[in-house]
Amino acid sequence: MLIPIQSETPKFKCSACGSCCSHIRGMIPKEDREFIKEFAFGKMPVVQLVPSEQMTFPLWDWEAKRFMEWQHEAKVDANIKPLRAIMDLKSNKAIILTYFMDSATDACPFLKNNKCSIYHTKRAYVCRLFPFNRSPFLNQEGTPLKHGMFGECGAMEHILPQVPEDFNKMVKFLNEAFPDSSFLNAVQNDIIIEWANKTIIDLIRKKVIKPAINYPYEFLLKRISSSDKVDFTDFLVECSYLTENEMRDSIRNFDSNIDAENKIKHFLN
Ligand code: SF4
Ligand code: SF4
């Protein structure tokens, strides 16, 4: 009797080629770039502060704070600047949602001799989720599930053709194929994006903030540049939306991927 051979899920193994960290400028999926171009320059509460060609990976505000410290330890100037902000007409403050490294070259300033000089740290989600751009849970309506999910990575060649089309099978496969936790990191980062969007909507609904929308972009930029600035998570504490402890616990939970683990556990049986 022939015994059917169970095909093993291939395992992703980063070859440490450094390619993803060497080209961080403008490296965003096409559909994201189109969305930013259409809406992020003044038509939504969150305003993009630099052209999409200039931007590099987005860092959440708490990640940017860590990078600002690590740059001294690594002896680099990461040139960290605000990337997206809400101009709040109620508090008259620019609330900074994300930052980016305005690197002098295409490469991440922390990349030295083709190695990440802060690899031993938690780094940022964008560092830890690659080769993913996003998880399958953040699917843009109308686009095929796999489209835009991965960035360019030579180590993906033997994985890509085997990614199942069926959503449930895909989640299980991705969890097994990425033992480096990049899949979990991608899921968690998407959960944080969702959390940030929902929180902003809730702040508007409860009239805690009044974002400037539909003003001329140049006017918004000037207003943001001359206003007092506050990081998003600091603002949530400042306006009593969350207590300091609640905010700290949330960031700790984000860091531990606990929400992502809960989200995918139903798919793993
Ligand atoms: S994730 Fe891919 S592109 Fe990045 S260093 Fe590893 S093999 Fe290279
Ligand atoms: S911090 Fe390290 S892992 Fe992240 S982009 Fe820079 S070099 Fe790559």
Side-chain angles (χ1 to χ4, degrees):
M1 191 179 89
L2 289 175
I3 299 168
I5 299 169
Q6 294 275 323
S7 65
E8 274 233 347
T9 306
K11 301 279 185 275
F12 174 78
K13 194 168 184 318
C14 168
S15 67
C17 68
S19 164
C20 49
C21 308
S22 309
H23 305 288
I24 62 169
R25 193 174 298 284
M27 197 181 162
I28 50 168
K30 188 169 157 266
E31 55 270 28
D32 288 6
R33 185 170 307 142
E34 280 164 8
F35 181 83
I36 290 169
K37 213 168 165 187
E38 177 72 25
F39 297 107
F41 294 97
K43 289 190 190 164
M44 289 195 320
V46 179
V47 181
Q48 166 109 359
L49 305 177
V50 295
S52 52
E53 304 77 45
Q54 188 188 341
M55 69 178 276
T56 59
F57 297 144
L59 301 169
W60 294 108
D61 66 47
W62 63 92
E63 294 179 327
K65 282 192 183 88
R66 295 169 186 169
F67 271 54
M68 283 174 200
E69 283 186 17
W70 293 334
Q71 67 179 350
H72 300 304
E73 290 163 30
K75 295 193 173 46
V76 299
D77 179 5
N79 206 12
I80 297 165
K81 295 178 179 171
L83 176 61
R84 290 179 190 140
I86 299 164
M87 183 60 235
D88 177 29
L89 299 175
K90 212 155 173 188
S91 65
N92 241 340
K93 286 183 179 174
I95 304 168
I96 313 296
L97 187 66
T98 53
Y99 287 78
F100 76 114
M101 293 185 275
D102 197 5
S103 179
T105 67
D106 231 13
C108 172
F110 287 97
L111 192 68
K112 287 184 187 169
N113 302 322
N114 227 22
K115 285 199 170 64
C116 173
S117 49
I118 54 166
Y119 196 79
H120 57 287
T121 68
K122 193 83 188 152
R123 294 176 293 151
Y125 270 105
V126 286
C127 306
R128 291 181 283 122
L129 58 76
F130 208 78
F132 286 86
N133 284 328
R134 58 163 179 80
S135 79
F137 293 101
L138 198 77
N139 186 34
Q140 270 136 354
E141 237 177 291
T143 57
L145 218 47
K146 280 195 265 181
H147 180 79
M149 191 155 71
F150 299 103
E152 271 183 45
C153 165
M156 281 297 293
E157 272 173 13
H158 66 298
I159 308 260
L160 264 181
Q162 300 203 43
V163 180
E165 297 290 340
D166 174 80
F167 185 81
N168 291 4
K169 286 184 187 153
M170 184 190 285
V171 174
K172 190 168 190 279
F173 173 92
L174 294 174
N175 186 54
E176 286 171 11
F178 291 87
D180 63 348
S181 296
S182 48
F183 173 59
L184 263 191
N185 290 325
V187 175
Q188 183 67 45
N189 193 51
D190 289 349
I191 290 171
I192 300 172
I193 292 173
E194 219 179 330
W195 165 81
N197 289 341
K198 278 188 181 158
T199 304
I200 292 166
I201 291 168
D202 201 33
L203 289 169
I204 298 171
R205 197 177 54 82
K206 290 178 174 153
K207 300 191 186 332
V208 180
I209 58 171
K210 186 169 186 260
I213 306 178
N214 287 330
Y215 285 88
Y217 181 61
E218 292 307 319
F219 168 83
L220 268 178
L221 273 192
K222 269 192 200 147
R223 183 89 190 256
I224 288 171
S225 145
S226 62
S227 299
D228 284 346
K229 293 173 188 53
V230 58
D231 283 345
F232 183 63
T233 54
D234 292 338
F235 180 79
L236 294 181
V237 174
E238 197 177 287
C239 70
S240 304
Y241 186 80
L242 292 176
T243 66
E244 212 171 324
N245 284 346
E246 283 169 340
M247 193 66 255
R248 200 174 36 236
D249 289 348
S250 294
I251 293 174
R252 197 179 298 136
N253 285 347
F254 295 159
D255 276 344
S256 67
N257 284 352
I258 201 160
D259 309 310
E261 279 169 11
N262 284 334
K263 185 150 193 148
I264 66 163
K265 70 180 174 202
H266 316 288
F267 297 87
L268 305 184
N269 304 320

